[in-house]
Amino acid sequence: MTDDLLGRHRAVLPDWLALYYEDPLEITHGEGRHVWDARGNRYLDFFGGILTTMTAHALPEVTKAVSEQAGRIIHSSTLYLNRPMVELAERIAQLSGIPDARVFFTTSGTEANDTALLLATTYRRSNTIMAMRNSYHGRSFSSVGITGNRGWSPTSLSPLQTLYVHGGVRTRGPYASLSDDGFIAACVDDLVDLLGHTRAPAALIAEPIQGVGGFTSPPDGLYAAFREVLHERGILWIADEVQTGWGRTGEHFWGWQAHGQNGPPDIMTFAKGIGNGMSIGGVVARSEIMNCLDSNSISTFGGTQITMAAGLANLNYLLEHDLQGNSRRVGGLLIERLRAAAAQVPAVREVRGRGLMIGIEITKPGTDEADPQAAAAVLEAAREGGLLIGKGGGHNTSSLRVAPPLSLNVAEAEEGAAILENALRSIQ
């Protein structure tokens, strides 16, 4: 029973391992855009295991690929030639937009960002990293050290010197009142000023849309303007595409492409959705950067055959069914539906995002003050209505996160929006 499982969970797992809901949920199975709990309740899934079930639950093409690969060999490590790993690397290198790209597979987004930091600091011979305020990049020692979101940074100890840059949050902070062009100009001026007061950093790492931070983003073009400043000084740009990649934003395949006027990033990280639940992360970089390490390195579990088979099948399905286009179309309808509903709820400060990556910021009515209790109440009410969503936020904010599988159809979008509208109205 779920109650017994909760007690067992608390007895053997860390106190800081968070669970959603006052009555935590055990999900037992899923199909399409729906999941079921241990009590038989059915839910429309608008969070996908934190943006990880990217195409659909129990997608036949992926489960078949996993089953067939498991019947051959599951794992051998990177010490041996691995056909599925080479095939997926070829596809990702081509899709990345990075010239002469090399791909290294990991088991998570955290490990991917950790690897990107290793490459950048080694290539540049600098342990100084610039990161965005309100950012999140993982839970390893180095990625925690660059995370700009206090709620997800449990220690100030770090192997890196981290400098935080303005720009990741458009509607808060000292430049919020400016026009988009003015906002970009002010952030660039701040970056230039910051670089005048420090030794040359190795890189700037940035999420095109901040995930854990509440799906916040700058105006399109900010990172292109940043890249121009960085390129003049030889500083690398790392695009953290762990949450924004694979067409989720609808308008672009990668989040960085909204800022790509000055070319692709030097390094790009990915994870989450590519495996559709299997543990895949990775790094793409120009060959001169990827090959800068002068010691041996392997990955025991990164690129293992069974996860690569899943990734290939999942990527093929996504491209063949134009799920990026579906994200643009259905996501556009969903965000407009949610904005219309939120306009009647004073506690909603902003509905933002693009494609199927939508954030709803909750504040105390008439103020900019975060209201985490109200956000938690909406989360609970949505669940009671049969809808699973996420939450996040930084910069003293409370945000709900909406990120369904990219195969979401219009009827499901309407159904989820109606449930969420009722949940929002319940906090008035």
Side-chain angles (χ1 to χ4, degrees), residues 116 125 199 247 348 358:
R125 309 307 299 171
R199 294 183 183 276
V348 177
I358 303 168

Side-chain angles (χ1 to χ4, degrees), residues 111-298:
E111 190 186 348
N113 285 332
D114 194 72
T115 302
L117 294 171
L118 171 65
L119 292 171
T121 53
T122 302
Y123 183 78
R124 288 277 293 156
R125 309 307 299 171
S126 168
N127 77 329
T128 300
I129 294 291
M130 293 184 296
M132 305 304 294
R133 298 178 186 186
N134 194 52
S135 60
Y136 175 82
H137 298 289
R139 52 157 300 279
S140 67
F141 191 43
S142 67
S143 60
V144 161
I146 62 166
T147 286
N149 186 320
R150 173 63 186 85
W152 293 89
S153 184
T155 176
S156 62
L157 302 176
S158 175
L160 302 167
Q161 179 186 40
T162 306
L163 307 172
Y164 292 104
V165 179
H166 283 295
V169 182
R170 175 65 184 91
T171 61
R172 285 181 178 268
Y175 307 142
S177 63
L178 301 176
S179 67
D180 283 355
D181 288 345
F183 182 93
I184 291 174
C187 291
V188 170
D189 287 345
D190 178 73
L191 174 63
V192 171
D193 181 71
L194 178 65
L195 290 171
H197 295 280
T198 184
R199 294 183 183 276
L204 167 71
I205 185 169
E207 306 157 272
I209 298 177
Q210 294 182 329
V212 170
F215 292 170
T216 63
S217 62
D220 288 357
L222 175 75
Y223 295 120
F226 276 6
R227 177 161 172 70
E228 186 173 348
V229 173
L230 301 175
H231 186 71
E232 290 173 353
R233 295 159 175 79
I235 301 168
L236 303 180
W237 172 29
I238 305 170
D240 178 345
E241 294 277 354
V242 169
Q243 297 198 33
T244 50
W246 315 110
R248 176 165 290 281
T249 67
E251 296 175 32
H252 304 98
F253 195 75
W254 306 108
W256 69 260
Q257 289 171 321
H259 309 269
Q261 296 93 324
N262 291 321
D266 300 290
I267 303 174
M268 184 180 75
T269 61
F270 62 85
K272 289 194 182 292
I274 182 60
N276 208 44
M278 299 295 280
S279 297
I280 305 176
V283 184
V284 189
R286 300 196 317 268
S287 61
E288 63 181 302
I289 297 172
M290 185 68 80
N291 294 333
C292 74
L293 303 183
D294 62 0
S295 62
N296 294 328
S297 193
I298 64 165

Side-chain angles (χ1 to χ4, degrees), residues 52 66 88 105-109 111 270-282 299 301-308 310-311:
T52 299
V66 168
L88 186 55
F105 289 105
T106 67
T107 60
S108 68
E111 190 186 348
F270 62 85
K272 289 194 182 292
I274 182 60
N276 208 44
M278 299 295 280
S279 297
I280 305 176
S299 181
F301 290 109
T304 196
Q305 283 92 333
I306 196 165
T307 62
M308 298 293 97

